[in-house]
Amino acid sequence: MYQAQVVTSAIEFAMNKILSLDEDSGVLLQPLIGKQCEIKLHELAFPLVFNFHSKGVAVSSIVNDGSEQIIAQTPQAKSQNKNQCAIRLSVFIINELKDTSNITRLIREHKLDFDGNLQIAQNMSALFNGLNIDIEEILSKHVGDIAAHNAVQSADSLGQFIKRNHKTAMQALSRVILDDKPIGVRPIMVENYIQEVSEVRDAAARLEARLAILEKQAKVTASATAGKSTGQDS
Amino acid sequence: MQSTKQTSAPKHDDEHGENLLDHLDSTQEDAAEQTHFGFKQVAKDQKESMVADVFHSVAAKYDVMNDLMSLGIHRIWKRYTIDCSGIRPGQKVLDLAGGTGDLAAKFSRIVGETGQVTLADINHSMLMVGKEKLTNMGIMSNLNYVQANAEALPFPDNHFDLVTMAFGLRNVTEKLNALASIYRVLKPGGRLLVLEFSKPSSEMLSKIYDTYSFHLLPKMGKLVANDSESYQYLAESIRMHPDQETLEGMMKEVGFEQTSYTNLTGGIVALHRGFKF
């Protein structure tokens, strides 16, 4: 219920807060003013629409009520393309987009779809990559210079520690995957095993049926023999 | 939960304009007739000034009371309205009965410098509160303010891409006249969004809502805005407002097509949509 509205509201608040922390964000924002970028993440049920203005960004969504088709038919909808762009992608490839040489490959692999003015997306990327937020300066206003400096130093050390250990962990993981792959159970082995089990089960069923028939025949033979011997006796 | 219903209206034909004019003439002749003001019956020509008095009285505390009365949910309803607007940079929007400008502020950001937003309200006090608020937010260049009666909008034909009316239609004396006037100023392909209190879809919710609005709401009005009567009128006017189906029928009657409505918060509020083709 109102998931899209709550999410867009939170994103708008966070983005405007971040932009307000960099006094020079206005310069980066300038080429985006009046532009609209619609981002559809595969993992999210609704699109995010970013509308840039001189003070920041307004984030909204689009409620799919079938009216988009109606509006798409109007001439003014088509004439807005220079102020708009639409991107469809997975949240997992956002990191790959930092290297622009990946874009062609991602489009070819249908992991990224693009429509409209590419410049808007590039300016949007430049805005967030170009932000220079002096956290120490901001913190010092609230907790004092020394505490702010110590906090930022500690955060930096923690970040480096995580980065270093993350790298080591990833290396260990890839070694495990590469070294242990041959002895791990592969899907084809599982399939073969399942096939063999069902063959054995079928053979057992056939044997059971054959035994039942033989048992029945043996009973018939035994009763016939018993009948004959009784007749001879009388 | 939200629930949406959509039906197609009959095609707008050439005779429609004449029918509408006949209707407008007949309503003018009926000026001496009675209409409702909350649960009271008053002369039709008195309602406008009585509603104006209510909004003069509540204008200063309007935003605070909205947050308090709806527990902030009115912001979500308005965001939902914006998400249903399909508005794009460069388009023209009329925020009718726009009051303190919540919708106009958002639309101004979306349409950008190349677009235009008109904030219209019949009440001067509400318009001034809205103007001051939006000016303080730095919204000026693409926004203009017009004191206008929804029943006779002072705009050219086929002018706006979108008209919104949030929590305003129930205060209009002749709702059909207002809808016809909106239809006239909309461009072909344009849409009307009416966000308004409506009829709760569940009996249980209806009872809780009645208790809240007739007992708690006037007390909150007295406490915060020192005005219980205005909030008593608010509760009464909501009950007198047409339900979802009736309002949709009225929209069709003036010519809107592809009309639909979405119940928000169990039908306490409904968002009606209609297109002009």
Side-chain angles (χ1 to χ4, degrees):
Chain A
M1 195 163 124
Y2 309 128
Q3 190 191 357
Q5 288 70 42
V6 172
V7 169
T8 53
S9 175
I11 292 173
E12 182 179 301
F13 177 79
M15 284 179 78
N16 285 320
K17 192 74 195 164
I18 290 167
L19 289 173
S20 71
L21 294 177
D22 183 0
E23 287 174 1
D24 299 327
S25 63
V27 180
L28 294 163
L29 205 54
Q30 196 62 36
L32 282 166
I33 293 172
K35 304 287 192 292
Q36 188 183 69
C37 184
E38 181 187 324
I39 296 178
K40 177 81 187 82
L41 294 171
H42 299 324
E43 293 78 17
L44 214 55
F46 48 86
L48 301 169
V49 184
F50 298 86
N51 293 283
F52 293 91
H53 54 87
S54 57
K55 306 279 178 195
V57 59
V59 187
S60 56
S61 188
I62 297 169
V63 173
N64 189 8
D65 57 358
S67 57
E68 279 308 292
Q69 287 85 342
I70 299 163
I71 296 305
Q73 291 161 10
T74 64
Q76 73 259 42
K78 287 179 181 166
S79 70
Q80 297 303 325
N81 269 354
K82 67 178 171 35
N83 286 329
Q84 289 176 283
C85 77
I87 305 167
R88 284 165 288 280
L89 77 168
S90 165
V91 74
F92 299 109
I93 67 154
I94 289 175
N95 230 12
E96 291 185 60
L97 289 175
K98 281 181 182 168
D99 183 358
T100 48
S101 63
N102 285 332
I103 291 176
T104 313
R105 178 180 59 82
L106 291 168
I107 291 173
R108 206 176 291 148
E109 289 173 4
H110 302 290
K111 288 179 179 170
L112 174 70
D113 193 9
F114 191 86
D115 196 12
N117 185 353
L118 182 64
Q119 190 68 40
I120 298 171
Q122 286 171 338
N123 288 338
M124 203 172 153
S125 171
L127 170 68
F128 289 101
N129 285 328
L131 283 177
N132 183 20
I133 300 166
D134 190 347
I135 297 168
E136 197 173 320
E137 175 68 23
I138 296 158
L139 272 180
S140 67
K141 289 175 189 166
H142 305 282
V143 294
D145 289 345
I146 296 168
H149 180 73
N150 288 340
V152 170
Q153 287 288 314
S154 306
D156 275 350
S157 307
L158 184 66
Q160 278 169 9
F161 174 79
I162 292 168
K163 206 172 174 183
R164 209 169 37 241
N165 283 284
H166 173 73
K167 202 175 173 183
T168 316
M170 289 311 286
Q171 281 170 348
L173 183 66
S174 54
R175 206 179 309 122
V176 166
I177 291 167
L178 288 171
D179 294 350
D180 294 351
K181 201 179 174 187
I183 59 163
V185 180
R186 282 167 286 167
I188 188 75
M189 292 168 78
V190 175
E191 259 179 52
N192 286 343
Y193 175 73
I194 292 168
Q195 201 176 343
E196 280 170 19
V197 168
S198 41
E199 277 171 9
V200 170
R201 194 179 53 221
D202 291 348
R206 277 199 300 275
L207 183 64
E208 203 176 315
R210 196 170 168 74
L211 281 172
I213 292 165
L214 286 171
E215 199 178 359
K216 203 174 172 184
Q217 281 176 350
K219 275 182 188 169
V220 170
T221 314
S223 63
T225 314
K228 268 182 189 178
S229 62
T230 314
Q232 280 169 0
D233 293 346
S234 64
Chain B
M1 285 292 287
Q2 302 155 13
S3 57
T4 305
K5 186 185 173 297
Q6 182 165 346
T7 52
S8 296
K11 264 284 192 212
H12 182 62
D13 55 31
D14 294 338
E15 290 174 10
H16 169 74
E18 288 174 23
N19 293 339
L20 202 59
L21 287 173
D22 291 345
H23 172 78
L24 293 175
D25 288 344
S26 67
T27 53
Q28 278 162 4
E29 284 166 13
D30 296 343
E33 282 182 12
Q34 298 269 300
T35 187
H36 59 82
F37 174 76
F39 290 158
K40 292 177 206 147
Q41 285 294 309
V42 296
K44 273 186 178 175
D45 51 7
Q46 281 182 357
K47 179 171 174 173
E48 196 178 301
S49 64
M50 291 173 84
V51 171
D53 287 344
V54 168
F55 283 92
H56 282 308
S57 166
V58 301
K61 300 270 184 178
Y62 189 77
D63 282 345
V64 180
M65 278 304 289
N66 272 353
D67 277 334
L68 204 62
M69 288 184 307
S70 70
L71 305 171
I73 299 171
H74 76 103
R75 290 170 189 273
I76 302 277
W77 294 333
K78 285 171 184 167
R79 266 191 179 269
Y80 184 83
T81 306
I82 289 160
D83 292 350
C84 288
S85 70
I87 201 72
R88 294 157 195 272
Q91 293 190 321
K92 285 181 182 162
V93 180
L94 170 63
D95 182 15
L96 196 52
T100 55
D102 284 344
L103 286 178
K106 290 279 177 208
F107 285 131
S108 164
R109 307 294 202 196
I110 295 172
V111 300
E113 297 295 312
T114 52
Q116 196 181 46
V117 178
T118 303
L119 173 59
D121 203 300
I122 195 170
N123 191 287
H124 185 257
S125 304
M126 292 293 284
L127 207 56
M128 285 302 106
V129 172
K131 188 174 183 180
E132 191 185 345
K133 184 171 125 184
L134 298 184
T135 307
N136 287 339
M137 285 169 77
I139 301 169
M140 284 174 285
S141 57
N142 62 355
L143 188 62
N144 50 44
Y145 303 87
V146 177
Q147 188 174 356
N149 184 343
E151 292 178 44
L153 291 170
F155 305 108
D157 295 358
N158 308 320
H159 189 68
F160 294 103
D161 297 286
L162 170 74
V163 177
T164 57
M165 198 173 193
F167 307 112
L169 189 63
R170 71 176 189 284
N171 298 312
V172 175
T173 311
E174 292 292 348
K175 292 172 182 62
L176 272 175
N177 289 5
L179 291 170
S181 187
I182 292 167
Y183 187 88
R184 180 184 64 76
V185 300
L186 266 177
K187 283 180 187 173
R191 78 176 87 181
L192 164 67
L193 295 175
V194 179
L195 182 68
E196 189 54 271
F197 291 106
S198 208
K199 193 179 170 192
S201 46
S202 119
E203 201 59 42
M204 183 71 145
L205 180 63
S206 192
K207 278 178 186 163
I208 296 167
Y209 182 50
D210 275 351
T211 310
Y212 169 74
S213 47
F214 285 110
H215 296 98
L216 207 59
L217 203 63
K219 283 187 181 124
M220 282 162 72
K222 175 78 184 162
L223 205 68
V224 179
N226 196 26
D227 182 359
S228 61
E229 281 175 16
S230 295
Y231 289 92
Q232 181 71 31
Y233 161 73
L234 174 75
E236 291 175 5
S237 67
I238 291 167
R239 296 309 176 282
M240 298 306 288
H241 186 65
D243 65 10
Q244 289 89 330
E245 298 286 344
T246 312
L247 180 54
E248 191 185 3
M250 290 165 81
M251 286 169 70
K252 282 179 187 170
E253 200 179 329
V254 299
F256 283 100
E257 293 178 58
Q258 303 242 345
T259 56
S260 65
Y261 66 81
T262 304
N263 281 335
L264 304 172
T265 318
I268 288 176
V269 163
L271 178 68
H272 281 77
R273 266 164 289 211
F275 291 86
K276 175 182 176 177
F277 293 121

